[in-house]
Amino acid sequence: MNLRGVDLNLLVVLDALLREKSVSRAGEMVGLSQSATSAALSRLRDMFHDPLLVRVGRQLALTQNAENLIEPLKDALSKVQQTLMQQGGFDPRHDARTFTISASDYAVLVLLGPLVKRLETEAPHITLHLVPRSHDTERMLHEDLVDVVIEPHELLPDSGFPSEPLLSDRWLCAADSQNIVSGKVSLEAFQNAPHLAYGIGPDRQFNLADQHLAREGINRRIAVTVESFVLVPFLLRQSNLISLVLERAISELGVPGVVGVEPPVELPDIHERMFWHPRHTSNLAHRWLRDCLRETARRIQAGTLRVVEGSQP
């Protein structure tokens, strides 16, 4: 195929067709009528000598050739867009950009909360979309559904995406203060108490601490599960429940009557990292965002920045 004979505008339409698997929705995405999009699809079929989309029942499905085009086409268009956007550089004080970050509510509370406050003055035209964690991190990054994923390294040990460390934190045993005797919890009391566990998704995937206890064969009675770290201290208050909570979450929320003490068993720390797709490694705006995350995390780790003014450690 001779590139000089290719209408590169067709590749933008093709990208939309591969994403949407619908002529009408793809047309809406790129600002074309349905008939114009159908005509573009016809030209693309001639260009690639492949139908690209075929009808299966009432739906359109991608051919194998079309499936193979998704990633290289996305990378090529992304690089073109980055090249055009970087012609004038990137100035966070004046430029308008939108970034999407996938993170747990713990990371939002501890790390992204301070970042939002920082950007209010340093980058007033930047919009951040903070979205929940996903079980399919690779798809989120490959399809540009998110720009950055913040996850514990322990959950993505073999990730092929570039990444950098942000924060580490330790697990504490949290409960209403009326249930803590002499500032500690014995293993027997820990095992006999009703537990509140954090679990994500329909399969209730437990957090790293709970998974560690399961591997060690330490049995507990799980009385309640919840998908939010932030809610845990509030549910513990004035109850007999006990839970494993990250130290900074307890500290930042500062729920009256809820305390955190050393757990009766040794638990490995967590190490939050940021992950991104390599197509964005050299992009000026993305580099700026990662720099902001790195610096905010550094200050939090050093104990010089807190979310809640006056909160007690």
Side-chain angles (χ1 to χ4, degrees):
M1 186 183 299
N2 189 335
L3 188 60
R4 292 184 179 182
V6 175
D7 180 354
L8 297 181
N9 289 319
L10 288 175
L11 299 183
V12 177
V13 180
L14 176 59
D15 180 61
L17 287 165
L18 297 180
R19 288 172 182 260
E20 298 296 328
K21 301 182 183 66
S22 164
V23 173
S24 58
R25 291 198 302 272
E28 291 174 3
M29 178 180 289
V30 298
L32 293 178
S33 66
Q34 184 166 345
S35 60
T37 309
S38 294
L41 175 58
S42 178
R43 294 175 62 189
L44 286 163
R45 284 167 167 165
D46 290 339
M47 182 190 306
F48 287 99
H49 305 291
D50 187 272
L52 299 175
L53 286 94
V54 294
R55 187 161 296 281
V56 179
R58 301 180 63 181
Q59 306 292 324
L60 289 177
L62 301 183
T63 65
Q64 185 60 56
N65 191 31
E67 291 278 2
N68 294 339
L69 286 170
I70 292 175
E71 199 60 30
L73 179 62
K74 189 187 304 295
D75 284 342
L77 292 178
S78 177
K79 288 175 181 176
V80 170
Q81 185 178 30
Q82 290 175 24
T83 300
L84 294 175
M85 294 183 70
Q86 292 185 171
Q87 290 300 310
F90 174 72
D91 184 350
R93 295 168 298 176
H94 301 103
D95 291 350
R97 284 293 302 266
T98 297
F99 296 102
T100 302
I101 301 176
S102 169
S104 66
D105 53 357
Y106 163 80
V108 171
L109 172 71
V110 171
L111 174 63
L112 299 181
L115 178 68
V116 168
K117 291 179 174 61
R118 173 179 177 174
L119 298 190
E120 287 179 1
T121 55
E122 294 185 16
H125 304 293
I126 297 297
T127 298
L128 288 182
H129 292 307
L130 308 180
V131 300
R133 297 174 58 213
S134 168
H135 281 305
D136 197 349
T137 299
E138 289 195 2
R139 184 181 69 85
M140 298 280 281
L141 289 170
H142 274 307
E143 297 183 9
D144 272 340
L145 299 176
V146 295
D147 299 301
V148 173
V149 167
I150 298 175
E151 284 279 10
H153 169 70
E154 292 79 5
L155 291 179
L156 297 171
D158 302 317
S159 170
F161 294 103
S163 67
E164 287 188 25
L166 291 172
L167 293 171
S168 61
D169 206 348
R170 64 173 184 151
W171 296 96
L172 293 181
C173 189
D176 190 283
S177 58
Q178 67 181 352
N179 300 321
I180 305 295
V181 179
S182 302
K184 61 182 181 180
V185 176
S186 68
L187 179 58
E188 181 182 10
F190 180 80
Q191 290 183 286
N192 291 334
H195 279 251
L196 168 60
Y198 166 81
I200 181 174
D203 58 349
R204 296 183 178 85
Q205 180 189 21
F206 285 148
N207 67 43
L208 292 167
D210 290 318
Q211 292 180 34
H212 178 78
L213 292 179
R215 288 194 299 271
E216 294 296 312
I218 298 176
N219 298 317
R220 303 162 298 149
R221 184 174 75 83
I222 305 298
V224 183
T225 64
V226 65
E227 284 201 32
S228 171
F229 269 123
V230 174
L231 290 177
V232 170
F234 295 95
L235 295 173
L236 295 175
R237 185 173 53 185
Q238 296 179 349
S239 79
N240 293 319
L241 294 167
I242 200 167
S243 186
L244 293 170
V245 184
L246 289 164
E247 183 175 22
R248 287 194 178 91
I250 299 175
S251 177
E252 300 297 355
L253 290 169
V255 177
V258 175
V259 296
V261 298
E262 290 285 347
V265 292
E266 186 175 351
L267 297 169
D269 292 348
I270 70 160
H271 303 87
E272 297 276 5
R273 297 181 72 91
M274 59 177 167
F275 299 82
W276 66 92
H277 197 285
R279 71 169 69 95
H280 300 307
T281 296
S282 60
N283 179 274
L284 293 180
H286 284 256
R287 285 168 56 185
W288 167 82
L289 176 64
R290 296 195 300 271
D291 287 344
C292 289
L293 284 165
R294 186 187 306 111
E295 175 60 19
T296 302
R298 185 194 66 78
R299 293 175 62 193
I300 293 171
Q301 196 74 45
T304 60
L305 178 64
R306 300 187 62 77
V307 178
V308 182
E309 296 296 331
S311 61
Q312 298 298 313

